[in-house]
Amino acid sequence: MVELGVNIDHVATLRQARRTYEPDPVWAAALCELHGADSITVHLREDRRHIQDRDVTLLRQTVSVPLNLEMACTEAMFAFACELKPEQVTLVPENRAEVTTEGGLDAASAESALREALPALRQAGIRVSLFLDPEPRQIEIAAALRIEAVELHTGSYALARGAEQQCELERLRAAGALIRQAGMLLHAGHGLNYTNVGPVAAIEEMRELNIGHAIISRAVFVGLGPAVAEMKRLIS
């Protein structure tokens, strides 16, 4: 069964808009758990635009499902992760000017930093996932590094329409096959919503989908619990 990782960054985005104490992403994580989330995802950005250090520390102490920490490939973040010890880190590209993550990590450019950091992450008992575009060369590098999981960037699929979307879906399927053949876990995320998630969830041996914006957006109208439960139903 496909697992649902709920990204709660945008709960913190709403809080930071007023620089106040609510809504609290830690409370949001508890509600997500109660309504079927299999893991909680947060992206601790260098500029701390939404999730704060306090949030991640409290989440590590309170969530009973796995915590997935999205982060950039920097020495500071590697050190933070080894101290925090989340169940999983997902390494992503980061650009302060971007509104949201714009594409997959360039594994070739990050290879040296990854080789240096991976032993410490593994010694800390942390599963490592790379957020990659569905490109064979990127997956080959991940396999060579013995990465445990790859999260395919589904942004191009989510933005496409008609025949173009079907082509993007085929790219995801082909990349998924390469990931499975290399013995890595298959994850996916970015731009997935209630109308486009089905075909991605149906990709063979899909293990985990990480979804945030669509769930938090629907929660404005129906409540966070029902929004999580409906997404869980759709991917199952």
Side-chain angles (χ1 to χ4, degrees):
M1 181 179 292
V2 182
E3 296 181 350
L4 174 62
V6 179
N7 186 314
I8 57 173
D9 288 353
H10 289 304
V11 177
T13 298
L14 182 57
R15 178 193 61 192
Q16 296 307 113
R18 292 288 294 271
R19 292 181 173 84
T20 183
Y21 57 88
E22 60 182 2
D24 192 331
V26 178
W27 287 31
L31 272 174
C32 291
E33 280 192 55
L34 286 171
H35 290 85
D38 298 293
S39 61
I40 299 296
T41 294
V42 289
H43 184 175
L44 184 63
R45 284 180 172 267
E46 183 183 19
D47 61 9
R48 305 302 197 264
R49 69 176 66 170
H50 39 59
I51 294 294
Q52 306 295 301
D53 296 57
R54 165 263 185 201
D55 302 326
V56 184
T57 300
L58 286 177
L59 286 166
R60 188 69 188 93
Q61 296 169 358
T62 57
V63 297
S64 59
V65 295
L67 179 64
N68 173 32
L69 176 63
E70 294 183 344
M71 65 184 206
C73 292
T74 66
E75 289 185 12
M77 288 308 305
F78 288 139
F80 181 86
C82 287
E83 182 177 351
L84 184 75
K85 294 183 173 60
E87 282 77 12
Q88 177 173 291
V89 298
T90 300
L91 300 171
V92 301
E94 196 169 298
N95 174 3
R96 286 195 180 195
E98 67 190 1
V99 174
T100 184
T101 306
E102 296 173 341
L105 181 73
D106 183 354
S109 297
E111 186 172 2
S112 178
L114 287 169
R115 286 193 183 279
E116 186 173 338
L118 283 171
L121 293 170
R122 288 170 174 149
Q123 187 173 1
I126 302 168
R127 182 169 72 186
V128 178
S129 173
L130 300 187
F131 183 68
L132 301 178
D133 290 323
E135 298 175 357
R137 178 55 183 155
Q138 299 291 342
I139 294 165
E140 289 172 8
I141 295 170
L145 290 167
R146 296 185 295 110
I147 297 296
E148 290 87 345
V150 170
E151 179 175 341
L152 289 175
H153 175 228
T154 54
S156 295
Y157 162 81
L159 291 172
R161 296 293 181 269
E164 182 184 354
Q165 187 172 68
Q166 187 61 34
C167 289
E168 292 295 338
L169 180 61
E170 291 304 322
R171 286 183 68 208
L172 293 170
R173 286 172 175 159
L178 292 176
I179 291 165
R180 297 193 309 272
Q181 289 166 13
M184 297 181 287
L185 298 174
L186 175 58
H187 301 172
H190 199 80
L192 297 176
N193 58 38
Y194 294 85
T195 60
N196 65 21
V197 72
V200 177
I203 293 175
E204 186 177 354
E205 292 186 40
M206 180 63 70
R207 170 65 72 88
E208 174 182 295
L209 296 178
N210 286 296
I211 304 172
H213 187 264
I215 291 174
I216 303 306
S217 296
R218 180 160 293 199
V220 171
F221 301 103
V222 305
L224 184 55
V228 171
E230 175 63 8
M231 183 62 76
K232 179 74 174 178
R233 185 188 68 78
L234 286 172
I235 70 172
S236 298

